Amino acid sequence: MRRLIALFFLIFTLSGVAVAQQMPDDQVIQYVKSAQQMGKTQKQITTELMRRGVTKEQVERIQQKYEDSKSGNQQNSTQGENQSRQRGQQNADKKTDAKSINQRNNTQQRTVKGLRTTNGRQMYRGDQMEMTGDSLWMDGNNRGMYWEEEDPTQQIFGHNIFTNANLTFEPNINVATPVNYRLGPGDEVIIDVWGASETTIRQTISPEGSILVNNLGPVYLSGKTVKEANNYLRQEFARIYSGVIGNVPSTQVKLTLGEIRSIQVNIMGEVVVPGTYTLSSFASVFHALYRAGGVNKIGSLRSIKVVRNGNVIADLDVYDFIMKGKMKDDVRLQDGDVILVDPYQSLVQILGKVKRPMFYEMKSTETIATLLKYSGGFTGDAYKKAIRIIRKSGREHQIYNVDEMDFSVFRVEDGDVVTVDSVLQRFENRVEVRGAVYREGLYQLNGTVNTVKQLIKKAEGIRGDAFLNRAIIDREREDLSHEIIQVDIKGLLNGTVADIPLQRNDVLYIPSIHDLKEESTLTIHGEVANPGTYLYSDNMTVEDLILQAGGLLEAAATTKIEIARRVKEPKSTTFSTTVGQNFSFDLKDGLLLGDGSDNFHLEPFDEIYIRKSPAYHQQQNVTVGGEVLFNGSYALSKKNERLSDLIAKAGGITPDAYVKGARLIRKMTEEELRRKEDALRMTQMGAGDSISIKKLDLSDSYSVGISLEKALQNPGSDYDMVLREGDMLFVPEYVSTVKINGAVMYPNTVLYKKGESLRYYINQAGGFGNDAKKRKAYIVYMNGTVSRLKSGNTKAIEPGSEIIVPSKDPRKKMSAAEIIGMGTSAASLATMVATMVNLFKK
């Protein structure tokens, strides 16, 4: 023990030195880089790091830092690429829209509100970008991230319209050329001439605003609409083509658009990504806002201005598009336009029983009625007579209760919180009827139901089992306490008692005669198909109950059918020693036989007992196998049938049978199973003298040691054991070997040699083992019996038996060499684990 303590002290001392001399993280990284350049293996690097005090935890920490820095560089690189892409979009082709989608996806990836763990601790927060709608979370084991939807009541209505990937407002360029489209530098125009003269001119308007036409020179089209350009071209082409102008022109000239130009617009103010954007010349304000990521949390959707040449040409209200589908203000943009998104002026939250509770941006002239319209209106369980408003006055809070008549005139202000309550959980015109009526339930008061009689009529009358002498009304007073009012239903229906007016929340209860007494039943036990409890009926007989129980079983005795009856004397005033009445009858052809059985009827709560016939026995089978003439199962013909009888039924034994080795396996009875469960329960209780569970035989069968040889020699003797159902007898062949097992040097099977002692057979197995209990050896015979062995007993060992030598208790003190060996193994194991740590994942 002292050596063991000294060894552990040495290990902990070395560990302390390693921790004290631990290398900093930077030195570890530099050492790994140098070692890799020198061509050292990972195992060599790990071993040398451990010698320098580097722990597994330090390696994992360095690896995490490396991965974090790598992901941070990738994110910075992505953001830099997005910004350069925004500045460098100058091309005016269809690829612009594809780029805008990529830019849009990248913008969504950056608009992260927060990276959190499941315990709510914030890990990362974006300072410049924010996300509307969802939050990004990480699971508790840091194995993955998932999106968690934000509370809808905390969102601003309409702010997600420009973050929907399926609603891009992208212009459609595969349409006929609009006549009001204004041409500009970069537009490709196609001029078709047909009729008396035919030609096609396809040119792009130059930065100076003109195209070059043969025999005409420069033709200036910039700034003209398509309609104006067509009129202008007819005038110009009349100079080189005859028949272009006149009442019936013979030559037609028409201008259409080819490839459209791109424009640059500036999106400023409260948008997610403000800046300069290159768009299609067909682009509208909504598409530009979509490209900019939509408005941010303080951006306005009610007043989005388009400035052109210093003048405001449009003021858009996105709510008109969301609520009414109006897009008349979604003007087509031109090169150099500026879109301004101001902060909101008034943000109001509505909560409670409305269809869309959330924040809404309101104009200064809008009222509660407008807010309710935006929120989808009241839900079905809303209290619609009034709503509650909490307002921040600048110094303290104020509360307003706005009635229904003032919804259209009460104006909301910034910061207002509007709450719509639910209806009260009570009824203003309810009465209820329960009990012995045909239609129980709730009914309307002050309609066609105002009195008790009217309520009974509405419930389609009383049932035949109604108790008419007394019913009750449970009435709720004004102070919410209750009182009981007695009602004579019989007199009320006959007109001898005045009808009783009902009040709100009255509950009329008309009892049934069956509700006023215990339910009458009958119980049948024993040999019937479905024993149990059945409902009592008047004039019921024992035969009737047997029929309801599915009839008698084959084992039922038709004699001595007993009926037990309760003693019922409700008006008795004296003590009685009689606890019950018993009747006994015989049954023949479905009729009771016996004194007084002709008019015998059952009474409530009688119990009937059908006994099992004492002469009824089911077949009881036993099995015999092995060296008998006819193997198989045999049915017992009498209760005391014995081993010799079974051998006789099987035709006797064969000449090769080894009778002394015959064994019997017996199944446990219910009583034996119960005793086994009791023994197991006592063992689990942990009593001081309890035995080990491992030593208990927990199977449902067991071996019985028999001597078939003596049973056949002396039939009817004690050796000739009485059989019972489920027994299995096996008569083996002669076995000429002996097994030696347990704590011996070499467990073996050897030939039986008559007259040899235990020492001979132990020597055949190499002798006793070091941990053998030599004096505890025992032998197991083929017939299932077990016996202790003595070294000089030469008659105890028989053919087919097995010698078993038990072992000593393996728990013992460890030697110094074993302790040192264990410490060396632990150190080797630690080195192997450290070697498997991966420093860097490529």
Side-chain angles (χ1 to χ4, degrees), residues 15 225 238 277 336 376 385 388 395 411 417 453 476 488 504 565 583 625 681 688 692 721 810 834 841:
S15 300
T225 65
Y277 289 83
K385 299 296 182 182
R388 182 173 61 255
R395 183 170 179 266
R411 297 183 180 180
V417 178
K453 194 172 183 179
E476 184 181 81
D488 182 1
R504 184 182 69 176
R565 179 166 293 171
F583 306 91
R681 184 169 58 254
S692 172
M721 190 179 66
K841 291 183 179 180

Side-chain angles (χ1 to χ4, degrees), residues 671-685:
E671 177 62 22
E672 289 172 334
L673 289 172
R674 185 189 62 79
R675 289 201 304 266
K676 183 184 71 171
E677 291 175 357
D678 292 342
L680 180 61
R681 184 169 58 254
M682 292 295 295
T683 302
Q684 292 174 343
M685 290 173 61

Side-chain angles (χ1 to χ4, degrees), residues 80 205 252 620 670 773 795 815:
I205 300 177
Q252 301 289 333
Q620 298 181 16
E670 293 184 0
K773 288 185 177 181
K795 297 182 179 181
S815 65

Side-chain angles (χ1 to χ4, degrees), residues 546-789:
I546 291 175
L547 288 176
Q548 287 194 23
L552 298 175
L553 296 179
E554 187 182 31
T558 57
T559 61
K560 200 176 176 54
I561 294 178
E562 296 184 357
I563 297 97
R565 179 166 293 171
R566 292 181 180 180
V567 176
K568 295 171 281 189
E569 296 182 7
K571 297 182 180 180
S572 176
T573 58
T574 60
F575 177 77
S576 174
T577 58
T578 303
V579 296
Q581 292 179 293
N582 292 308
F583 306 91
S584 181
F585 302 100
D586 295 339
L587 186 65
K588 182 179 180 182
D589 298 330
L591 297 175
L592 290 178
L593 299 177
D595 295 338
S597 63
D598 296 339
N599 298 318
F600 186 85
H601 294 92
L602 297 175
E603 293 185 2
F605 309 109
D606 280 356
E607 296 197 17
I608 295 85
Y609 299 88
I610 309 296
R611 309 294 181 185
K612 182 179 179 180
S613 173
Y616 178 81
H617 296 284
Q618 294 181 346
Q619 293 86 346
Q620 298 181 16
N621 295 321
V622 295
T623 304
V624 61
E627 295 301 317
V628 294
L629 289 180
F630 299 100
N631 291 326
S633 297
Y634 293 87
L636 300 178
S637 56
K638 55 184 179 180
K639 292 184 67 66
N640 59 347
E641 193 162 332
R642 298 175 180 268
L643 288 172
S644 58
D645 299 328
L646 178 60
I647 295 297
K649 285 184 177 181
I653 60 176
T654 66
D656 296 330
Y658 182 55
V659 180
K660 293 182 65 176
R663 59 183 179 272
L664 181 74
I665 304 299
R666 173 161 289 179
K667 290 185 178 180
M668 287 188 176
T669 63
E670 293 184 0
E671 177 62 22
E672 289 172 334
L673 289 172
R674 185 189 62 79
R675 289 201 304 266
K676 183 184 71 171
E677 291 175 357
D678 292 342
L680 180 61
R681 184 169 58 254
M682 292 295 295
T683 302
Q684 292 174 343
M685 290 173 61
D689 56 350
S690 63
I691 62 177
S692 172
I693 296 179
K694 296 181 180 179
K695 296 182 180 180
L696 287 177
D697 184 6
L698 301 180
S699 65
D700 58 355
S701 61
Y702 57 92
S703 176
V704 180
I706 62 172
S707 177
L708 183 60
E709 182 181 24
K710 294 181 179 179
L712 296 179
Q713 293 173 356
N714 302 287
S717 64
D718 291 341
Y719 295 108
D720 195 7
M721 190 179 66
V722 176
L723 299 173
R724 74 184 190 195
E725 184 181 13
D727 284 351
M728 291 181 289
L729 176 64
F730 182 78
V731 182
E733 291 182 325
Y734 178 79
V735 178
S736 60
T737 58
V738 176
K739 289 183 179 180
I740 306 98
N741 235 328
V744 293
M745 298 303 293
Y746 185 79
N748 200 2
T749 301
V750 300
L751 290 174
Y752 170 73
K753 192 172 183 180
K754 187 175 181 180
E756 293 294 342
S757 64
L758 173 65
R759 183 182 300 277
Y760 167 78
Y761 289 101
I762 295 298
N763 289 335
Q764 295 297 313
F768 289 107
N770 294 331
D771 57 346
K773 288 185 177 181
K774 301 177 182 180
R775 297 184 180 181
K776 299 293 183 179
Y778 59 92
I779 185 169
V780 180
Y781 297 102
M782 289 185 66
N783 65 353
T785 57
V786 181
S787 178
R788 287 283 300 276
L789 281 176

